[in-house]
Amino acid sequence: MPTEDKAALLMLCSTLSLSLTGLVAKFLTSEFSLLTLLFLRLFIPAVLMLSVVASIKIVLPKKNLMKPILTRSVCVVGCQICFLTSLTQLTLVESVVLFATGPLFIPVLEKLFFGTAIKRVVKVALTVTFIGVILMTSDGSSIHFKPEMLIGLGAGMFNAGSQLSLYRSSKGDMSASATNGWSFLFSSLLVLPISLWYGLSDADRVILAAPIESWVSWLALLVLALVTMSNQIFRSKAYKLAESNSQLAPLIFTHLLFTLVWQLTFFDAEVTQEKVLGVVLIVVASLMQTFISKREKIPKLKLKSCR
């Protein structure tokens, strides 16, 4: 199989895993309380990833990497709180689409923290995105503002912060599994005191008291952890095989198509034309920013290669 096809296949495996995280998380929001689910959703993947790393060699984060890793941990907590909350209030497709707006917020955060200028294409893409969000609030006859949409956008914003922190931490000599493992572990430790403060819900106590009878919930948690890991592994391998990021950029949004399949298969939710148009606008806005930004960077890359 050609290298390009292998890279594309690995990216599709990554986006399939990403769509499954939303599907399984949607199921688990009805099984656990939000804070308990948030802790388990972060702690179990952390233990698995660090166990894999420790089986080869124990890697502790160095001092120069602690700041970006801790920053990412905070962003991961914020992202997952917003995402899981939106899953309880919105449809699976709506929550995942709003989560996928993360790349659009990266230039905004770079402007706030690093003073980087926001390009015109980003401003246009953000405008189109918010129009899409408004259309997603339509019930077919009129538009109703949903605060839950802003929570979903919060997941995208925190996801952008997580990606920026991950980019900085990737400049070190730690592997992706170690970086993600420590980030998730610190995130779970941040959530633990809050979870203990609010305590367990009745549903949590039933599942914890009878783990054998609640094996479906525990199996779902394990599956959630595994698909979280596989998403990172498949994506990193795909990027290593690809000649450029733009080669795989269009495939990143296939997780929305997978999510739509899960929505239509497992959930009984009305999908109006306005909501479909809103989803399309958000995807177009993300693709617009991705491709135009890549195109603008090509001349700079060529100049560097000639030196």
Side-chain angles (χ1 to χ4, degrees):
M1 181 183 295
T3 303
E4 295 81 2
D5 293 342
K6 288 182 180 179
L9 181 60
L10 287 169
M11 179 55 74
L12 288 175
C13 291
S14 171
T15 57
L16 176 61
S17 299
L18 183 59
S19 70
L20 288 172
T21 60
L23 174 64
V24 179
K26 178 74 171 177
F27 165 73
L28 288 171
T29 54
S30 62
E31 300 293 308
F32 292 91
S33 64
L34 179 62
L35 289 175
T36 301
L37 175 58
L38 178 61
F39 172 76
L40 294 173
R41 190 261 179 279
L42 296 171
F43 182 72
I44 296 177
V47 171
L48 291 179
M49 284 187 280
L50 292 178
S51 297
V52 172
V53 173
S55 65
I56 303 173
K57 181 182 179 181
I58 298 178
V59 180
L60 299 176
K62 295 181 179 179
K63 185 177 180 180
N64 63 321
L65 293 178
M66 284 301 297
K67 184 176 180 179
I69 289 178
L70 289 176
T71 301
R72 185 174 186 237
S73 300
V74 173
C75 290
V76 167
V77 171
C79 176
Q80 291 301 316
I81 288 177
C82 291
F83 181 62
L84 293 176
T85 302
S86 68
L87 280 175
T88 63
Q89 304 293 328
L90 304 173
T91 66
L92 177 61
V93 170
E94 290 172 337
S95 299
V96 171
V97 169
L98 293 173
F99 173 83
T101 59
L104 292 173
F105 288 100
I106 290 179
V108 177
L109 295 180
E110 288 178 337
K111 170 67 176 178
L112 291 175
F113 295 104
F114 307 112
T116 306
I118 300 179
K119 298 178 181 180
R120 182 178 301 176
V121 62
V122 175
K123 296 178 181 178
V124 174
L126 286 172
T127 302
V128 173
T129 296
F130 282 106
I131 294 175
V133 171
I134 293 174
L135 288 174
M136 286 174 62
T137 64
S138 172
D139 60 1
S141 59
S142 60
I143 292 176
H144 302 281
F145 175 74
K146 294 182 180 179
E148 296 83 3
M149 291 289 183
L150 295 180
I151 297 176
L153 282 177
M157 184 182 67
F158 279 112
N159 183 33
S162 173
Q163 294 305 310
L164 280 176
S165 303
L166 179 61
Y167 174 77
R168 293 182 61 191
S169 61
S170 66
K171 297 303 180 182
D173 54 0
M174 289 182 65
S175 65
S177 297
T179 301
N180 284 302
W182 285 111
S183 297
F184 272 59
L185 180 61
F186 291 146
S187 296
S188 65
L189 294 178
L190 288 174
V191 174
L192 182 59
I194 305 175
S195 301
L196 294 176
W197 175 267
Y198 281 94
L200 300 174
S201 67
D202 293 337
D204 296 333
R205 292 190 179 93
V206 170
I207 294 176
L208 294 174
I212 297 179
E213 289 79 0
S214 307
W215 65 271
V216 175
S217 299
W218 291 106
L219 178 61
L221 279 171
L222 178 60
V223 170
L224 181 60
L226 293 177
V227 293
T228 299
M229 293 174 58
S230 61
N231 172 39
Q232 300 295 331
I233 294 172
F234 286 133
R235 184 160 303 196
S236 62
K237 289 185 177 181
Y239 280 132
K240 286 182 180 180
L241 292 176
E243 295 180 0
S244 65
N245 289 346
S246 58
Q247 176 186 341
L248 299 176
L251 296 177
I252 293 176
F253 295 96
T254 55
H255 81 279
L256 299 178
L257 298 178
F258 290 129
T259 300
L260 181 59
V261 173
W262 307 143
Q263 176 73 54
L264 297 176
T265 304
F266 296 103
F267 302 99
D268 183 18
E270 182 182 2
V271 181
T272 64
Q273 293 181 350
E274 289 81 5
K275 289 184 179 181
V276 173
L277 180 58
V279 171
V280 170
L281 285 178
I282 292 175
V283 174
V284 169
S286 300
L287 287 173
M288 181 195 312
Q289 182 202 0
T290 299
F291 283 112
I292 294 181
S293 298
K294 297 293 183 184
R295 186 177 301 175
E296 290 177 350
K297 291 179 181 179
I298 289 176
K300 297 180 181 180
L301 293 175
K302 287 184 177 180
L303 287 175
K304 290 181 179 180
S305 63
C306 293
R307 292 178 181 176

